[in-house]
Amino acid sequence: EEALGFLLHGSLGNLIHDCVSVCFHQNHGGDSRNLNGALNGGDDFGACGTGVTWKIEGNTLTISGNGRMTDYYPDAMAPWTGHSAQIEKLVIKSGVTYIGKYAFTEMAAIKTVQLPEGLTAIGGAAFSACNGIEEIRIPDSVKEIGNSCFGGMHGLKKLTLGPCVEKIADYAFYDCPSLQEVTFPATLKSLGRYAFSMCTRLKTATFLGPAPAIAQDTFELSKAAIDKWGWYNRNAAINPYLSEGKKTVSLEIAEQLN
């Protein structure tokens, strides 16, 4: 490839080089790099997975296509990272089945997120430290939420988990201090270590089905906050009035009515 690029010169050579680049792209499983190893696309659009593309228009980042997004890492960040300050809205369209690791980490300007039905998993740290987001709705199709996926989201106030979530990994919602309640679907099978630790305002955790095996430290600091401020603990099986951790709404009503 390097030899071919070196030999091609002039306008005709550039045209041939571009054509060969396209052929190379098409014949290598949709890999989004040309002969020089550069990402095909521009400063505000490009590929972010096989069959998946990204585009920025105004303050909106749109991810579209069919298939899985690429995983990113702290030393190999997503191509839109340089636009973080301007992106306030994230739209992921139907057809995208997986959100890559670290895809939107520390993009604090994002305020709204639209996740599609058909999405099945969200990679680790995908939205970590996105402090501008106040509400997240996990689509019905999602089964797995990765490590530290929504960790450090200090603005997150409302979380709606879809009815098919089976696994919430370690640290998934670690350090979300504005979150006050969460309802787990009956499908939940695994709740990781420290998944909701440091959620210091979390008052209520409700399981719609049998509670899965829970790591001892999953709600560690949330419990500490409950102890500190005297809230009733409905679901940790340590409620001082009901040892099974059943609902205590009648006690709360009685207390409020004196």
Side-chain angles (χ1 to χ4, degrees):
E1 296 167 16
E2 293 180 0
L4 180 59
F6 177 78
L7 291 174
L8 296 173
H9 297 285
S11 299
L12 179 59
N14 289 335
L15 176 61
I16 297 173
H17 184 276
D18 291 342
C19 291
V20 175
S21 295
V22 172
C23 293
F24 180 77
H25 168 75
Q26 293 178 341
N27 292 328
H28 285 73
D31 187 275
S32 57
R33 296 186 180 275
N34 61 26
L35 291 176
N36 292 325
L39 184 70
N40 289 323
D43 184 52
D44 57 0
F45 71 97
C48 56
T50 301
V52 183
T53 61
W54 65 279
K55 184 176 183 179
I56 296 174
E57 293 181 302
N59 64 357
T60 301
L61 169 60
T62 302
I63 309 293
S64 58
N66 293 284
R68 295 168 57 90
M69 286 180 62
T70 297
D71 282 328
Y72 299 98
Y73 298 93
D75 60 347
M77 297 299 288
W80 47 81
T81 302
H83 299 275
S84 293
Q86 79 181 68
I87 298 172
E88 298 181 0
K89 183 178 181 180
L90 171 64
V91 177
I92 301 180
K93 292 193 172 182
S94 179
V96 177
T97 59
Y98 168 76
I99 296 175
K101 297 177 182 178
Y102 292 93
F104 312 106
T105 188
E106 297 184 359
M107 294 183 66
I110 295 178
K111 296 178 181 178
T112 61
V113 176
Q114 180 180 319
L115 303 179
E117 290 300 332
L119 184 70
T120 59
I122 306 174
F127 293 92
S128 63
C130 287
N131 292 329
I133 299 173
E134 295 187 358
E135 180 177 354
I136 286 288
R137 181 191 176 280
I138 306 299
D140 294 355
S141 53
V142 171
K143 294 184 177 181
E144 181 174 346
I145 298 173
N147 291 1
S148 304
C149 187
F150 298 96
M153 292 180 61
H154 292 176
L156 183 62
K157 296 178 180 179
K158 183 176 181 180
L159 169 65
T160 303
L161 294 172
C164 295
V165 174
E166 297 179 357
K167 179 181 179 180
I168 298 176
D170 297 349
Y171 296 92
F173 293 91
Y174 180 87
D175 190 22
C176 292
S178 298
L179 188 63
Q180 295 190 34
E181 61 181 281
V182 59
T183 298
F184 298 102
T187 53
L188 187 66
K189 299 176 182 178
S190 175
L191 186 56
R193 298 181 67 239
Y194 295 102
F196 287 86
S197 189
M198 287 290 287
C199 294
T200 52
R201 291 185 177 86
L202 187 62
K203 296 181 180 181
T204 304
T206 303
F207 292 88
L208 297 182
I214 302 174
Q216 183 175 354
D217 39 19
T218 296
F219 294 95
E220 184 182 58
L221 293 181
S222 301
K223 176 185 176 297
I226 288 169
D227 293 340
K228 179 177 179 179
W229 284 292
W231 299 329
Y232 288 115
N233 191 333
R234 292 191 176 101
N235 295 90
I238 53 174
N239 187 295
Y241 296 96
L242 298 173
S243 60
E244 297 86 0
K246 300 293 185 181
K247 291 183 178 179
T248 57
V249 65
S250 60
L251 296 173
E252 294 181 10
I253 291 175
E255 181 183 71
Q256 293 169 15
L257 294 176
N258 294 320

